[in-house]
Amino acid sequence: MLYLAALLVALLGLAHSVLGERYILVRLFRRDLPKLFGGPDFTRRTLRFAWHLTTLLAWTLAALLVQIAGPHSPSSLAASIGWALLACGLLPLVITRGRHISWLVLFAAGALCLAWAAQ
C-alpha cells in the first residue's frame, strides 16, 4: 500500500510541475506582476521556484513512503529529508540568483538533518 501511495504522490508531483508550468505559470507570467525587489522578473522567478519546490517536496514524501515500507532507520529518513532540503535550496539559489534568501534556511535545515543522520 505504501509503494502505491509513493507512486501516486510521485506522479502527482510530476503532473504538478509539468501541467503547472504549461497551463498556469506561463499564462500568469503574461500578466502584469507586482514589482518586488526591483522588478517583475524577481516575482516570476520566485513564483517559479515556489511552484517547483512543491514538486520536490512531493517526491521527497514519495521517497519517505518507500523507505517506511522497508527496513530503514530514522537516520536514513533524516538523511533523505536533508538531501531534499538541500535540493529545495538550490531552486531559489539558482532561479532567483540568490536574491530570495530562503535558500539559506533550506541549506541550514538540510545540513542539520544530514549532520544528525551522520551521528
Side-chain angles (χ1 to χ4, degrees), residues 4-99:
L4 181 56
L7 176 63
L8 291 172
V9 173
L11 290 173
L12 177 67
L14 179 64
H16 182 267
S17 269
V18 171
L19 297 176
E21 190 70 45
R22 182 173 178 175
Y23 294 109
I24 296 174
L25 293 178
V26 171
R27 292 176 181 176
L28 180 64
F29 294 160
R30 290 184 193 142
R31 299 174 182 231
D32 288 332
L33 295 172
K35 294 176 180 161
L36 302 173
F37 298 105
D41 186 55
F42 178 79
T43 304
R44 276 188 214 92
R45 290 174 180 275
T46 299
L47 289 169
R48 180 160 275 132
F49 95 72
W51 189 272
H52 294 294
L53 184 86
T54 305
T55 297
L56 282 176
L57 293 174
W59 290 343
T60 301
L61 287 174
L64 292 172
L65 286 168
V66 168
Q67 288 180 321
I68 291 168
H72 293 279
S73 67
S75 63
S76 71
L77 297 173
S80 292
I81 293 168
W83 286 113
L85 289 169
L86 292 180
C88 287
L90 285 174
L91 286 173
L93 179 63
V94 171
I95 293 175
T96 71
R97 298 179 186 127
R99 291 176 62 202

